[in-house]
Amino acid sequence: EAQVTQNPRYLITVTGKKLTVTCSQNMNHEYMSWYRQDPGLGLRQIYYSMNVEVTDKGDVPEGYKVSRKEKRNFPLILESPSPNQTSLYFCASSPGRGGSPLHFGNGTRLTVT
Amino acid sequence: AQSVTQLDSHVSVSEGTPVLLRCNYSSSYSPSLFWYVQHPNKGLQLLLKYTSAATLVKGINGFEAEFKKSETSFHLTKPSAHMSDAAEYFCVVSDWKTSYDKVIFGPGTSLSVIP
């Protein structure tokens, strides 16, 4: 089954404790992206990647890191999480053409205390 | 610069009545436009997309949307609401001719369906 898999689904952590949210897709998509969803703001792009070893900042990249060492994986790293990063996070992938729809994971709800 | 406005943050309809969710966009070039639906505790699912073919686009579950360039609108409609349509809906613009990976989401419209 074609899918984007995020882990974990729920994560509670404390300020400053490094964490990684994993994302994997099995559709051989070139394009992958991370979003955060906050009430009233829709989804905002954090980082995206057009291919292996090619990443770029989205609209809200501060406090986040990503890597794309393999085509299928695109982990999101929070080196020193802060409470304002409490949010619902989504990973998405697509073939990479502008008219292609995004395929989303089921989300990771992160709480930073 | 791209932007997406969803004119209603919340819409409430009775079951069996029509649904209208409004979306206006701004884009420098000819955009691709999408509607996604998000049910509670779920990821986003594609409802339909417009990519410069027919201006009236049909999607899943009886939804459709009409692209009106002169009004820069892409409103989502359904003739008869069902209880299972209660969800959050996002209008999305992708400006692929300038930066194809630039995807902008609207703030979302929450649809409630009253029995």
Side-chain angles (χ1 to χ4, degrees):
Chain A
E1 179 189 353
Q3 60 185 359
V4 177
T5 303
Q6 284 179 240
N7 281 297
R9 287 295 307 276
Y10 301 92
L11 181 57
I12 301 173
T13 190
V14 296
T15 299
K17 186 175 182 181
K18 181 180 178 180
L19 65 90
T20 299
V21 184
T22 63
C23 175
S24 179
Q25 51 94 5
N26 62 1
M27 295 167 280
N28 202 36
H29 285 167
E30 291 185 353
Y31 179 85
M32 298 186 74
S33 182
W34 276 103
Y35 298 88
R36 61 177 290 172
Q37 182 179 15
D38 301 291
L41 297 178
L43 274 74
R44 294 178 292 168
Q45 190 178 51
I46 302 171
Y47 269 95
Y48 64 93
S49 169
M50 292 189 287
N51 215 324
V52 176
E53 302 293 359
V54 180
T55 63
D56 209 346
K57 297 177 181 179
D59 297 313
V60 289
E62 294 79 19
Y64 304 94
K65 286 177 57 177
V66 294
S67 68
R68 189 90 181 275
K69 297 178 181 177
E70 306 167 279
K71 198 171 188 179
R72 64 183 289 125
N73 296 323
F74 191 46
L76 179 70
I77 304 157
L78 284 71
E79 295 271 4
S80 182
S82 63
N84 65 10
Q85 293 178 298
T86 292
S87 187
L88 179 59
Y89 291 86
F90 287 100
C91 179
S93 72
S94 83
R97 306 298 186 268
S100 301
L102 292 165
H103 297 255
F104 284 88
N106 281 330
T108 296
R109 186 167 293 280
L110 172 65
T111 301
V112 184
T113 61
Chain B
Q2 295 169 292
S3 68
V4 180
T5 302
Q6 291 184 243
L7 295 157
D8 305 293
S9 60
H10 184 81
V11 170
S12 184
V13 301
S14 296
E15 190 175 18
T17 64
V19 176
L20 170 64
L21 305 183
R22 297 181 292 169
C23 173
N24 286 91
Y25 70 92
S26 68
S27 175
S28 301
Y29 300 93
S30 297
S32 295
L33 295 161
F34 308 84
W35 277 97
Y36 288 85
V37 60
Q38 183 183 26
H39 288 94
N41 299 315
K42 297 287 188 182
L44 281 77
Q45 178 186 17
L46 179 70
L47 271 181
L48 49 81
K49 67 176 183 178
Y50 166 79
T51 53
S52 75
T55 57
L56 183 61
V57 182
K58 294 189 183 298
I60 62 172
N61 300 334
F63 284 95
E64 61 182 38
E66 186 172 9
F67 174 70
K68 293 186 177 180
K69 187 173 183 178
S70 61
E71 299 176 9
T72 60
S73 68
F74 190 56
H75 301 335
L76 181 70
T77 61
K78 182 173 180 177
S80 176
H82 190 273
M83 294 298 295
S84 62
D85 294 328
E88 189 86 14
Y89 292 80
F90 294 96
C91 182
V92 178
V93 61
S94 175
D95 194 348
W96 66 279
K97 288 188 177 180
T98 53
S99 173
Y100 72 86
D101 15 68
K102 190 62 176 176
V103 176
I104 303 294
F105 282 76
T109 298
S110 177
L111 176 65
S112 297
V113 182
I114 303 166

